[in-house]
Amino acid sequence: MVEQLADLVAKLHEGYDMVVVSRYLAHAVSEDDHAVSAFGNWMFSRLMRPLARFPVTDALNIYRGYRRSLLLDPDFGFYLKGPVLEPLVTGMCALRDLNATEIPGSEPVRIGGQTKRSIVYNGSMVLLMIVRLYLRKFLGIRV
């Protein structure tokens, strides 16, 4: 994925607030996915789409560039509960109607073997964050 770094930076210079290297866009693939993680990535990306005015194909990917101002947004810390940094950056772009885009980039097999994260815990925290963003965007409720 390092091959996409120049393209990612170029897109940021074009004025985008966030650029995600998507494992599911165009010709890109994830060699690290298994059935559960592939389903989770698909589901969370679909759940993020109604929040955003930009297409979301990879809400969970950590390979992304974004403006520092996103992290300094007063609401960012409020919604940052648990391991949700990457999808929250996408969510904040959506909540603030910022300019975001994705570029394709394949993900190689994980170095070191299996993931160390708890899929159930992480997925639960991301789902809770998305529900909270829906309540904020569509009902004006900050919870």
Side-chain angles (χ1 to χ4, degrees), residues 1 15 68 87 109 124 127:
M1 294 184 107
R68 183 173 170 257
V109 175
S124 299
L127 184 58

PDB file of all heavy atoms in Angstrom, residues 1 15 68 87 109 124 127:
ATOM      1  N   MET A   1       0.810  -1.201   0.000  1.00  0.00           N
ATOM      2  CA  MET A   1       0.000   0.000   0.000  1.00  0.00           C
ATOM      3  C   MET A   1       0.853   1.264   0.000  1.00  0.00           C
ATOM      4  O   MET A   1       0.344   2.328  -0.310  1.00  0.00           O
ATOM      5  CB  MET A   1      -0.950   0.002   1.184  1.00  0.00           C
ATOM      6  CG  MET A   1      -1.988  -1.082   1.126  1.00  0.00           C
ATOM      7  SD  MET A   1      -3.165  -0.985   2.458  1.00  0.00           S
ATOM      8  CE  MET A   1      -4.572  -0.400   1.564  1.00  0.00           C
ATOM      9  N   GLY A  15      -7.016  19.474  -2.142  1.00  0.00           N
ATOM     10  CA  GLY A  15      -8.009  20.095  -1.284  1.00  0.00           C
ATOM     11  C   GLY A  15      -8.916  19.139  -0.536  1.00  0.00           C
ATOM     12  O   GLY A  15      -9.807  19.588   0.189  1.00  0.00           O
ATOM     13  N   ARG A  68      -5.314  17.563  10.060  1.00  0.00           N
ATOM     14  CA  ARG A  68      -5.181  17.590  11.520  1.00  0.00           C
ATOM     15  C   ARG A  68      -6.406  18.219  12.169  1.00  0.00           C
ATOM     16  O   ARG A  68      -6.810  17.850  13.276  1.00  0.00           O
ATOM     17  CB  ARG A  68      -3.918  18.369  11.868  1.00  0.00           C
ATOM     18  CG  ARG A  68      -3.604  18.428  13.320  1.00  0.00           C
ATOM     19  CD  ARG A  68      -2.221  19.073  13.525  1.00  0.00           C
ATOM     20  NE  ARG A  68      -2.016  19.352  14.910  1.00  0.00           N
ATOM     21  CZ  ARG A  68      -2.115  20.553  15.458  1.00  0.00           C
ATOM     22  NH1 ARG A  68      -2.402  21.600  14.711  1.00  0.00           N
ATOM     23  NH2 ARG A  68      -1.907  20.726  16.735  1.00  0.00           N
ATOM     24  N   PRO A  87     -12.672   4.758  11.501  1.00  0.00           N
ATOM     25  CA  PRO A  87     -14.043   5.023  11.056  1.00  0.00           C
ATOM     26  C   PRO A  87     -14.588   6.350  11.590  1.00  0.00           C
ATOM     27  O   PRO A  87     -15.427   6.973  10.941  1.00  0.00           O
ATOM     28  CB  PRO A  87     -14.851   3.838  11.576  1.00  0.00           C
ATOM     29  CG  PRO A  87     -13.995   3.166  12.580  1.00  0.00           C
ATOM     30  CD  PRO A  87     -12.578   3.517  12.264  1.00  0.00           C
ATOM     31  N   VAL A 109      -0.940  -9.643   2.870  1.00  0.00           N
ATOM     32  CA  VAL A 109      -1.154 -10.487   4.037  1.00  0.00           C
ATOM     33  C   VAL A 109      -0.516  -9.813   5.252  1.00  0.00           C
ATOM     34  O   VAL A 109       0.540  -9.189   5.161  1.00  0.00           O
ATOM     35  CB  VAL A 109      -0.546 -11.887   3.802  1.00  0.00           C
ATOM     36  CG1 VAL A 109      -0.639 -12.744   5.044  1.00  0.00           C
ATOM     37  CG2 VAL A 109      -1.235 -12.561   2.637  1.00  0.00           C
ATOM     38  N   SER A 124     -18.378  -3.929  17.969  1.00  0.00           N
ATOM     39  CA  SER A 124     -19.414  -3.325  18.821  1.00  0.00           C
ATOM     40  C   SER A 124     -19.157  -1.844  19.031  1.00  0.00           C
ATOM     41  O   SER A 124     -20.094  -1.027  18.992  1.00  0.00           O
ATOM     42  CB  SER A 124     -19.467  -4.030  20.181  1.00  0.00           C
ATOM     43  OG  SER A 124     -19.774  -5.377  20.023  1.00  0.00           O
ATOM     44  N   LEU A 127     -19.924   0.042  15.782  1.00  0.00           N
ATOM     45  CA  LEU A 127     -21.374   0.123  15.593  1.00  0.00           C
ATOM     46  C   LEU A 127     -21.993   1.173  16.517  1.00  0.00           C
ATOM     47  O   LEU A 127     -22.824   1.988  16.082  1.00  0.00           O
ATOM     48  CB  LEU A 127     -22.013  -1.238  15.836  1.00  0.00           C
ATOM     49  CG  LEU A 127     -23.514  -1.322  15.582  1.00  0.00           C
ATOM     50  CD1 LEU A 127     -23.857  -0.940  14.148  1.00  0.00           C
ATOM     51  CD2 LEU A 127     -24.017  -2.721  15.906  1.00  0.00           C
TER      52      LEU A 127
END
